[in-house]
Amino acid sequence: MNFKGMDILDGAQFTRAEIERVMEVSEEMRERLRESRSLNLLRGYVLGTLFFEPSTRTRLSFETAMHRLGGDVVGFASAGVSSVKKGESLEDSIRTVDQYVDVIVMRHPQIGAARRAAAVAESPVINGGDGAGQHPTQALLDLFTIRTERGQVDGNTIVLCGDLKYGRTVHAGVELYKHYDCRLILVSPDALRMPPELTARLREQGVVVEETDDLEAALPEATVLYMTRIQKERFADPEEYERLKGSYVLTREMVERLNPDLTIMHPLPRVGEIAADVDALPGAAYFRQARNGIYVRMALLWLVTGQSEA
Ligand code: NCD
C-alpha cells in the first residue's frame, strides 16, 4: 500500500485496507499530540489551501494539521481574492500553485473540480469538497469518529438524515461504510433522496440500504445518527429550499425517548437540525468529530507526502 503522491478525490477510491491504514495513522497522530503540540514530521513542506467556497472546519483543520506537523501553509479562503476573479482558469491557477507547494487542498463549487486539478498538478491534490459531489476527508474523519465513539465500525446501524441529494459528506461516507458490516438507513424528504444510481450501486455491492422519510421510526434502530444540513446553496429554486429546510429537527426529548444510547454526529455547520439542548448529551459527538479532523488530516498529509515511509 503506497500513499505517496496519492490524490484524495472521492470515497470510492479507498480499499478497506487503505481506510484502516488511515485510521491507524490517525490514532498515532492523536497519541503523539498528547506528548507534544508540534511534531516536526513535515518540516520544510508547504500546503496550499485553495478554497473557492466557504469553509470553517475543513480549511482551518487542514491548516492546523499542517502546522502541527511542523509544515507551512499558503492559500486563500475566497475565490474573490484570487486571480480567478480576473478570469484565470482553474487549471492555470492549479498549475501555478503547483510550482510553489508540496500538497494542494481545494474546495470548489463544481462537481469534478478536484479531479480536474489533479489532472494538471504534480503535487497530490486533496478534495476538500467539490460542489454536491464528494468530500472524502470528511468521510474519513466521520469513520474515525464512529470507530472512536462506538469501539468499531462493524456492527453499526447508521442513520443518515437530511439532505442526501446534495450532501457531499454522505456521498463520500457511504463509499467507506460499504466496506464494513453496517446497516444503512437513509432518512430524507422524497425530494432530497440519495442519488438513485449511488444507492443502486451500493445494493449491487451487497450493502443493506433502507430508505424512509420517517426519522422517529428509524431512530430506535440506530447506533449512530448522522445529521446533515439542507444544502441551501445547491438549490435552483429558493422556494423549494424554504419548503424543505425544517424537515428534520433532532431534540433532546426525541433522543431520550427513542434511543438514549445514540451517537449523534453532524459534519457541521448546523442550521437548526440539532437543537442546542442535545449538546449536553453524552452521545453528542459533533464537536469531538470536528477535533478528529485534525488527526485524520495530519495522517493524510503525512501519508501523501510519502514522509510516513521516510
Ligand atoms: C460540510 C461540507 O462543506 O460539505 N461541512 C464540512 O466540511 N464540515 C457540510 C455542510 O456544509 O453542510
Side-chain angles (χ1 to χ4, degrees), residues 13-290:
Q13 76 182 69
F14 290 98
T15 63
R16 176 160 169 153
E18 286 168 341
I19 298 168
E20 289 295 310
R21 173 84 176 128
V22 174
M23 296 301 111
E24 282 158 20
V25 177
S26 303
E27 269 169 18
E28 185 184 336
M29 291 299 163
R30 184 177 56 194
E31 294 315 309
R32 290 172 84 152
L33 278 186
R34 288 206 173 109
E35 312 282 306
S36 172
R37 294 187 118 79
S38 179
L39 304 183
N40 269 330
L41 292 172
L42 287 184
R43 200 211 304 261
Y45 280 76
V46 181
L47 168 69
T49 56
L50 278 52
F51 280 70
F52 300 93
E53 235 192 19
S55 169
T56 298
R57 277 147 288 268
T58 305
R59 186 173 65 85
L60 294 182
S61 68
F62 260 113
E63 293 193 0
T64 305
M66 193 59 175
H67 288 303
R68 293 214 187 274
L69 287 162
D72 296 300
V73 182
V74 298
F76 54 80
S78 150
V81 300
S82 76
S83 280
V84 170
K85 183 101 184 176
K86 302 181 190 165
E88 185 170 55
S89 71
L90 175 68
E91 279 78 4
D92 279 1
S93 296
I94 296 294
R95 280 191 190 99
T96 304
V97 175
D98 194 32
Q99 311 300 313
Y100 308 153
V101 305
D102 303 291
V103 189
I104 294 170
V105 179
M106 68 173 274
R107 169 171 289 188
H108 196 280
Q110 282 167 9
I111 292 178
R115 190 170 293 283
R116 276 170 56 203
V120 299
E122 295 265 325
S123 315
V125 172
I126 301 178
N127 181 5
D130 61 328
Q134 290 276 311
H135 193 349
T137 69
Q138 178 71 43
L140 288 162
L141 78 88
D142 294 340
L143 193 104
F144 184 82
T145 303
I146 294 174
R147 215 169 177 259
T148 310
E149 298 284 325
R150 306 298 308 189
Q152 58 176 22
V153 181
D154 285 320
N156 281 290
T157 296
I158 305 173
V159 171
L160 304 168
C161 176
D163 187 346
L164 309 184
K165 180 179 182 186
Y166 297 119
R168 56 197 175 194
T169 71
V170 289
H171 297 166
V174 294
E175 299 282 4
L176 304 187
Y177 304 142
K178 73 180 183 201
H179 295 290
Y180 295 82
D181 179 22
C182 290
R183 179 178 160 207
L184 301 179
I185 306 180
L186 310 182
V187 179
S188 71
D190 197 49
L192 297 176
R193 282 170 68 178
M194 187 163 279
E197 53 293 357
L198 182 48
T199 17
R201 196 152 48 77
L202 292 170
R203 288 194 177 114
E204 271 163 35
Q205 293 172 346
V207 185
V208 183
V209 186
E210 294 148 58
E211 292 183 275
T212 172
D213 61 6
D214 189 343
L215 178 60
E216 292 219 6
L219 272 189
E221 307 285 309
T223 54
V224 175
L225 170 65
Y226 189 93
M227 286 300 276
T228 65
R229 174 179 70 90
I230 311 292
Q231 306 279 297
K232 183 179 183 182
E233 65 275 34
R234 312 284 175 226
F235 283 73
D237 175 4
E239 275 173 31
E240 174 84 340
Y241 171 73
E242 289 302 319
R243 187 172 70 78
L244 293 167
K245 72 176 182 193
S247 296
Y248 302 102
V249 178
L250 184 75
T251 63
R252 183 179 181 125
E253 182 280 320
M254 281 164 76
V255 180
E256 285 173 343
R257 174 167 48 90
L258 297 167
N259 191 342
D261 182 47
L262 189 65
T263 294
I264 304 153
M265 296 171 54
H266 193 306
L268 303 175
R270 63 174 153 180
V271 286
E273 314 79 47
I274 301 180
D277 64 3
V278 175
D279 298 2
L281 293 173
Y286 26 96
F287 292 108
R288 294 192 290 276
Q289 184 182 351

